[in-house]
Amino acid sequence: MKRRTPLAGVAVATLALLGQTLISSGTTAQAESLLSAGKPTTTSSVEAAEFGGGNAVDGSTTTRWASEEGVDPQWIAVDLGGTSTVTKVKLNWEAAYAKTYKIQGSADGRTWTDIKSVTGGNGAIDEHLGLNASARHIRIHGTARGTSYGYSLWELEVYGDRSGSGDTQAPTAPTGLAATGTTTNSVSLGWTASTDNVGVTEYEVLRDGNVVGTTATTTYTDSGLASGAEFGYSVRARDAAGNVSAASSVVKASTQPGGTGPITIAVGGDIANPELFSTHQATANQVARMNPQYVLTVGDNQYHKGTISEYRAHYDKTWGKFKSITKPTTGNHEWDDQLRGYKEYFGAIAYPKGLPYYSYDIGEFHFVAMDSNPIYGGGGSEQVAWLRDDLAKNTKACVIGYWHHPRFNSGEYGDKKQIAPLWNELAKVKADMVMSGHDHHYERTKPLDVNGHVDEANGVRSVITGIGGDYLYTNYKEREGVEKIFAKHGVMKLMLNGKSYSWEIVDTNGNVLDKAGPYTCR
């Protein structure tokens, strides 16, 4: 996500404090103490590991917390270390701001009371004075985003005075954290118990800087993870008064490779939007975690026109690190520049025989990479003839095609008869799967025939994976045969083993959103 620098000035919003009308002000504040600096935070989500909640209380306006994109609600909370009289909260929003949110307080970090409600927020600096609330924990709870991004704060500052006289001593940091076991989708952890003057009540487990679970014991299993991926874990202790220890040292642990190795292929489409740099950076980070032998793209690799300058400024800095193992296809945005930028950037990788469509073999699989834009426009008869001839010569048992425009689609653009010439050729040879993009969601179907009806025996599986980094589309309606559909950024991890294949969809935090297969080639 490409971000602007913090905006100057004071946001104007309609504010309600326990039923009273207040106005956000930029006037000189009282001489309160800054209570939140460097204190422990928890968040509903993070866009990527580098955007953890601690960035919002580190005193720097060059680091930030950022939530998952496109999802409401989201929140960030800070533990002030003891009961305090909170008089002011100052929020320095990044470009992704909250239009509607609440400032909430809690004594224990679990039960929350509204302190102030905000509607009509417009970002920049929100400074809320005269709060006079008693709380140990302060949470900013966003319920409506002001942009299509998520929520992001350069700084969350809480001012006031410590007022509590109870237990304020935090437990010691846990020690001896280690991975005690792994599977293809889980990591089990164990550690040495913390000590506390009163007693530890639970431990918070952090994965890549974000809390993913709690436990009252000194063991925890984190599940639903991508196979063959590395994660960083730490643990911190909490006592009954809400005191939170420092985090333990970080331990790296990797899930086991998927059972369908040894060939791993990362697949993505609709990737590098200049306005969403950190999003395609986050999906590229997941590709790196997969350590694939190949990377396949299903078009619209670079927005907005697919020029060489855009490719160099954006795609090359994220997914470009995999260029040498990439087997790309074109999209309509590449065609906005008549494929000039695409051809100059990828060179012979994308034009192995002087054409923007080609085929190759990986193990027992035959792949065909097609240029669907001319077909979509009603032309491309020579390409269809080439495909027919290529498939007739194929000697591999498994066949997978990929291109940009989906033939069958539950999303905004719907089914496209224009793409039937490509789909029908694959259906004639009982191909195993077709992967595409264009609509910015993920969708997989049962095998479909040439008319889009389920045909388990002879049909072709359809997968749409337009979730590589551009804005997501959520206005889809499931068509016949859909097995899974959602709109969330991520990468398809395709795994080949002999004459079988399977895949996972991995989001930008390394969580597995969908698993399919293994399927045996026909």
Side-chain angles (χ1 to χ4, degrees):
M1 184 185 301
K2 186 177 180 182
R3 299 301 204 188
R4 300 189 292 272
T5 55
L7 302 173
V10 178
V12 178
T14 302
L15 308 175
L17 172 57
L18 302 179
Q20 298 177 348
T21 302
L22 299 178
I23 297 176
S24 179
S25 170
T27 58
T28 303
Q30 306 170 28
E32 306 100 332
S33 298
L34 176 60
L35 303 174
S36 54
K39 292 297 193 293
T41 61
T42 53
T43 61
S44 54
S45 68
V46 292
E47 181 184 337
E50 60 265 35
F51 300 122
N55 292 344
V57 293
D58 64 359
S60 171
T61 55
T62 62
T63 60
R64 61 188 175 91
W65 164 66
S67 76
E68 173 187 2
E69 293 184 333
V71 178
D72 295 311
Q74 299 287 344
W75 53 264
I76 179 172
V78 58
D79 177 2
L80 304 178
T83 302
S84 306
T85 299
V86 176
T87 55
K88 181 177 76 172
V89 172
K90 182 178 179 180
L91 305 175
N92 185 347
W93 293 102
E94 194 258 350
Y97 66 92
K99 182 170 62 176
T100 304
Y101 64 94
K102 293 179 179 180
I103 301 173
Q104 299 175 314
S106 173
D108 59 6
R110 293 174 177 79
T111 303
W112 297 92
T113 300
D114 294 347
I115 298 173
K116 175 177 278 190
S117 297
V118 179
T119 60
N122 63 355
I125 307 292
D126 286 353
E127 192 167 16
H128 305 295
L129 305 178
L131 299 180
N132 195 32
S134 178
R136 172 167 179 156
H137 303 262
I138 293 295
R139 182 168 76 171
I140 308 303
H141 189 266
T143 55
R145 290 164 288 121
T147 71
S148 59
Y149 305 129
Y151 297 84
S152 186
L153 283 165
W154 295 107
E155 284 296 298
L156 161 59
E157 298 177 357
V158 181
Y159 293 84
D161 297 292
R162 284 289 294 271
S163 58
S165 57
D167 176 23
T168 60
Q169 181 176 330
T172 61
T175 59
L177 177 64
T180 58
T182 62
T183 69
T184 57
N185 65 357
S186 69
V187 172
S188 294
L189 304 165
W191 56 91
T192 301
S194 299
T195 59
D196 184 65
N197 62 319
V198 176
V200 174
T201 57
E202 69 175 16
Y203 296 89
E204 297 176 342
V205 179
L206 296 85
R207 184 207 314 142
D208 294 332
N210 199 47
V211 176
V212 293
T214 61
T215 176
T217 70
T218 57
T219 61
Y220 183 81
T221 296
D222 187 23
S223 58
L225 304 174
S227 62
E230 183 181 70
F231 304 92
Y233 289 97
S234 59
V235 180
R236 60 195 186 196
R238 180 187 290 269
D239 66 18
N243 299 300
V244 179
S245 76
S248 70
S249 298
V250 174
V251 169
K252 298 289 187 180
S254 298
T255 51
Q256 295 178 22
T260 56
I263 300 174
T264 298
I265 302 172
V267 185
D270 302 272
I271 299 168
N273 187 324
E275 300 167 6
L276 300 174
F277 184 86
S278 65
T279 306
H280 58 90
Q281 177 67 72
T283 56
N285 290 344
Q286 293 306 318
V287 175
R289 271 183 166 172
M290 294 174 187
N291 192 27
Q293 286 96 330
Y294 303 92
V295 172
L296 278 54
T297 72
V298 292
D300 280 4
N301 314 299
Q302 178 61 62
Y303 293 84
H304 295 286
K305 299 293 184 180
T307 63
I308 187 60
S309 61
E310 288 176 324
Y311 263 100
R312 289 170 176 166
H314 305 288
Y315 182 95
D316 189 60
K317 291 179 169 59
T318 57
W319 284 61
K321 67 186 70 174
F322 315 110
K323 182 177 177 180
S324 65
I325 59 171
T326 296
K327 295 187 177 296
T329 55
T330 67
N332 51 288
H333 283 273
E334 276 77 27
W335 270 97
D336 284 343
D337 190 44
Q338 296 301 303
L339 303 187
R340 288 185 291 263
Y342 174 82
K343 185 174 184 179
E344 183 174 349
Y345 180 75
F346 285 111
I349 294 173
Y351 283 73
K353 294 185 178 179
L355 297 169
Y357 46 90
Y358 55 96
S359 66
Y360 55 93
D361 295 333
I362 300 176
E364 294 294 327
F365 285 75
H366 182 67
F367 286 83
V368 287
M370 306 306 295
D371 176 23
S372 65
N373 208 65
I375 311 294
Y376 186 77
S381 58
E382 73 289 347
Q383 186 178 168
V384 176
W386 175 91
L387 175 61
R388 185 180 303 117
D389 182 62
D390 177 85
L391 294 174
K393 296 176 181 177
N394 169 51
T395 60
K396 298 296 182 179
C398 312
V399 177
I400 294 178
Y402 63 105
W403 55 76
H404 187 58
H405 299 84
R407 170 64 180 96
F408 301 110
N409 177 13
S410 298
E412 181 174 328
Y413 295 112
D415 295 352
K416 291 300 178 185
K417 292 183 178 179
Q418 300 97 310
I419 303 300
L422 295 180
W423 180 276
N424 293 354
E425 292 301 327
L426 272 292
K428 288 177 185 176
V429 299
K430 297 184 180 181
D432 297 280
M433 180 168 62
V434 167
M435 303 179 294
S436 55
H438 196 51
D439 242 302
H440 300 179
H441 69 276
Y442 167 73
E443 176 178 352
R444 67 173 166 91
T445 71
K446 295 178 179 180
L448 304 176
D449 65 16
V450 295
N451 297 310
H453 300 306
V454 174
D455 183 349
E456 299 274 7
N458 302 302
V460 182
R461 296 184 188 280
S462 174
V463 177
I464 298 173
T465 179
I467 53 176
D470 195 22
Y471 295 107
L472 298 171
Y473 300 163
T474 58
N475 53 334
Y476 44 74
K477 184 177 180 182
E478 292 187 24
R479 69 172 319 282
E480 179 184 346
V482 171
E483 294 181 308
K484 189 77 170 183
I485 187 169
F486 54 78
K488 193 170 183 179
H489 288 118
V491 181
M492 180 178 179
K493 181 178 181 179
L494 176 62
M495 293 166 283
L496 314 180
N497 183 30
K499 297 180 181 180
S500 71
Y501 63 102
S502 63
W503 70 89
E504 301 170 347
I505 301 298
V506 182
D507 73 8
T508 53
N509 291 316
N511 298 306
V512 174
L513 305 180
D514 187 33
K515 283 189 173 185
Y519 303 112
T520 301
C521 302
R522 291 193 290 266

